[in-house]
Structure formats: C-alpha cells, structure tokens
Amino acid sequence: MINIYNEINALEATFRKTEEFEALQEAVAVVKADEDALKLFQNFRKVQMNLQEKQMAGEELQEDELVYAQKTAQLAQQNEKILAMLEAEMKLSSVIEEVNRILVKPVQALYEGI
C-alpha cells in the first residue's frame, strides 16, 4: 500500500523549488526589509483577517469597516513592494489551483456518468 504522505512531502519539497514560490519568497523578504512596507502590509492583513472573521461568524459588516478596509487595501497596493508581493502570491496561487485540479481528477472521474 502506498503512503500518500511520503508523496505529498516530496511534492512539497518540489513546490518550494518552483519559480513561483521562489519569487514569492524573495518578494516577502523585500517587504520584510522595508519597515514602512512591513507595517503597511501587517495593517492590511489585520484588517482583512478581522473582516473575514466577522463574515465567518455571520456578523454584518459595517459601512465604515468596509470603507476602512478599502482604503487600507488601496494604500497597500500603492506600495510597489507590497504590490509585487501580492502579484507573486497570485502567480503561486495559480500553481496551487492547478495542482488541486489535478488531484481531484480521479474523484471527478468517479462521478462521471452518474
């Protein structure tokens, strides 16, 4: 019997060697090295997480919270270092989505024709 976790761990090691992961790793390092960019990103992330937590809890989001979140996102995206990091993250997300599509193919195939 195959141990899928050994295979997944090998895939994880390969994943770390992809251009997309390495680009994100470098972009994160650039943001971390810039105190202003780091603080701006940390605030942006904190606002995002708070909104997500409220949504998951079924709480209604207030207009002022949404406006503040938009302004925080705009400020973060105006910083070229943060923007480069977010773009690198999106490219890496595309790889993850493709891997996920490949992984679920066997399950989808099982349901074809039902």
Side-chain angles (χ1 to χ4, degrees), residues 27-87:
V28 168
V30 168
V31 169
K32 284 182 175 180
D34 181 325
E35 190 176 328
D36 292 335
L38 180 60
K39 285 180 183 178
L40 186 57
F41 181 73
Q42 287 172 333
N43 187 48
F44 166 69
R45 189 164 180 191
K46 180 181 172 186
V47 169
Q48 259 189 332
M49 298 298 268
N50 287 339
L51 289 180
Q52 285 178 355
E53 286 175 14
K54 284 187 172 195
Q55 284 179 322
M56 290 174 66
E59 294 179 35
E60 192 170 320
L61 301 177
Q62 303 299 315
E63 182 68 27
D64 61 331
E65 289 175 313
L66 294 172
V67 169
Y68 181 69
Q70 273 186 323
K71 287 181 180 179
T72 304
Q74 286 172 345
L75 280 174
Q77 291 173 353
Q78 287 174 357
N79 181 295
E80 61 187 54
K81 292 174 184 176
I82 294 172
L83 184 59
M85 184 179 66
L86 295 174
E87 288 172 351

